[in-house]
Amino acid sequence: MTSSIPDPPPFYTRYTDANLKLLEKIKNYKGNKKEALNEFKDELPQDFDITELEPPQPIAEGSYNVFGLTWQVVSVNATLDENIPRLYPEGDFDRQTELKKLNKRLCRKFIALLGSLSAEPFDESKPTAISKDLQDTFMNIKQLLNEYRPHQVDDFFLILLLKVLVNRLTRLGSITGTRCSQLKDLLSMVKHKWSTTDQLKMTMPDNSQLGQFLSTRQQNPPSTSYNLSPATSSHMLQLIDTLQLQSKYDAS
């Protein structure tokens, strides 16, 4: 019984903690590679080169093989082979209409193939024109569908990006609404305290009364809190009302 998943390559046992730490020391050595290997020669493994544990650089061009299939590093749109005729027009055309035409063509060729098989057995060594037409039709349908793939990928990532932006803006809107509500409560509290404060005029004396004013202030020092004039107080209340209206407008 064999496993569908291949065994790991035998060199995976080389990636031990000790070997990886030694590789890190060699990489961080101030001198060149030859000097580093000479410095740690007593710790180096004898059956392989320690620098082989360093992963190779990514392939920037060309092709690579994976499970027997060859893949291009830079992906390109697949094209029809030279021996497969193009059954749809070039340039700008309605792909849905052409796919429907190819689908009807495929059904007709399949019915013709069934009629041919009812007359005589199918010989795989002698491919018929009907089987060749079926193959060509399938390849043309596949090519048209593959041309949709880049657009589907772009559409998927665009929708995903818009969803992320909508969720972010929704969270910001919720936070902004909460802050506006807190500001509204704070302004209401400030307005209430301001309106209940004693409103006494703060008048500055003229030059003739300056000496008397200073002596009076020395005998009766002012408290740490000051009250503003009624005009100033009224102006501040109007400003608070304006801020409350603005916060209500922003929250909505």
Side-chain angles (χ1 to χ4, degrees):
M1 182 177 180
T2 59
S3 175
S4 59
I5 302 176
D7 294 332
F11 57 80
Y12 83 95
T13 56
R14 300 175 181 177
Y15 289 87
T16 62
D17 292 339
N19 288 338
L20 293 178
K21 289 180 180 179
L22 180 59
L23 178 64
E24 192 67 22
K25 291 180 181 179
I26 295 174
K27 290 170 57 178
N28 296 332
Y29 190 75
K30 295 182 179 180
N32 54 36
K33 177 182 176 181
K34 185 176 180 180
E35 294 176 351
L37 294 176
N38 187 39
E39 176 70 21
F40 301 101
K41 62 180 180 180
D42 295 336
E43 305 178 37
L44 294 177
Q46 302 299 322
D47 53 343
F48 68 94
D49 186 2
I50 189 67
T51 58
E52 293 178 356
L53 299 181
E54 187 72 17
Q57 294 296 326
I59 303 175
E61 58 184 5
S63 60
Y64 58 94
N65 295 326
V66 176
F67 298 115
L69 299 177
T70 302
W71 302 87
Q72 298 295 326
V73 175
V74 180
S75 60
V76 294
N77 294 333
T79 58
L80 294 173
D81 296 335
E82 295 180 357
N83 58 345
I84 298 178
R86 185 185 181 98
L87 302 179
Y88 54 88
E90 298 183 2
D92 189 11
F93 60 92
D94 189 353
R95 283 174 168 75
Q96 293 184 0
T97 302
E98 296 301 324
L99 282 171
K100 290 179 181 179
K101 292 180 179 179
L102 290 174
N103 188 36
K104 293 179 180 179
R105 176 190 176 93
L106 187 66
C107 293
R108 291 196 302 267
K109 296 297 180 182
F110 186 73
I111 294 174
L113 178 62
L114 292 179
S116 175
L117 291 176
S118 64
E120 58 179 345
F122 179 73
D123 188 358
E124 295 182 358
S125 61
K126 299 179 181 180
T128 63
I130 298 177
S131 62
K132 179 66 168 59
D133 288 341
L134 278 173
Q135 182 181 2
D136 294 342
T137 306
F138 271 119
M139 295 305 296
N140 277 266
I141 293 176
K142 179 181 178 181
Q143 174 63 24
L144 274 177
L145 293 177
N146 285 338
E147 291 179 359
Y148 276 110
R149 302 307 182 196
H151 303 286
Q152 289 177 337
V153 173
D154 295 339
D155 183 66
F156 171 77
F157 282 107
L158 180 60
I159 293 176
L160 182 61
L161 177 61
L162 290 177
K163 287 182 178 180
V164 172
L165 292 177
V166 168
N167 293 335
R168 184 180 302 173
L169 292 176
T170 302
R171 291 196 302 269
L172 291 177
S174 177
I175 294 173
T176 303
T178 303
R179 295 294 184 266
C180 289
S181 178
Q182 294 174 351
L183 176 61
K184 183 178 179 180
D185 296 339
L186 179 61
L187 290 174
S188 299
M189 181 185 67
V190 172
K191 181 178 180 181
H192 175 71
K193 288 184 176 295
W194 195 286
S195 60
T196 56
T197 303
D198 293 336
Q199 300 177 358
L200 299 178
K201 282 189 176 182
M202 294 182 61
T203 57
M204 292 299 296
D206 54 15
N207 292 334
S208 61
Q209 299 175 341
L210 183 57
Q212 183 180 359
F213 173 75
L214 292 176
S215 61
T216 304
R217 298 284 286 186
Q218 290 177 357
Q219 296 175 1
N220 301 313
S223 61
T224 56
S225 60
Y226 292 90
N227 295 317
L228 300 180
S229 65
T232 305
S233 222
S234 176
H235 178 70
M236 292 301 298
L237 291 175
Q238 293 177 2
L239 180 61
I240 292 175
D241 290 336
T242 304
L243 291 175
Q244 285 180 333
L245 290 175
Q246 184 67 30
S247 65
K248 182 179 179 181
Y249 173 77
D250 293 338
S252 61

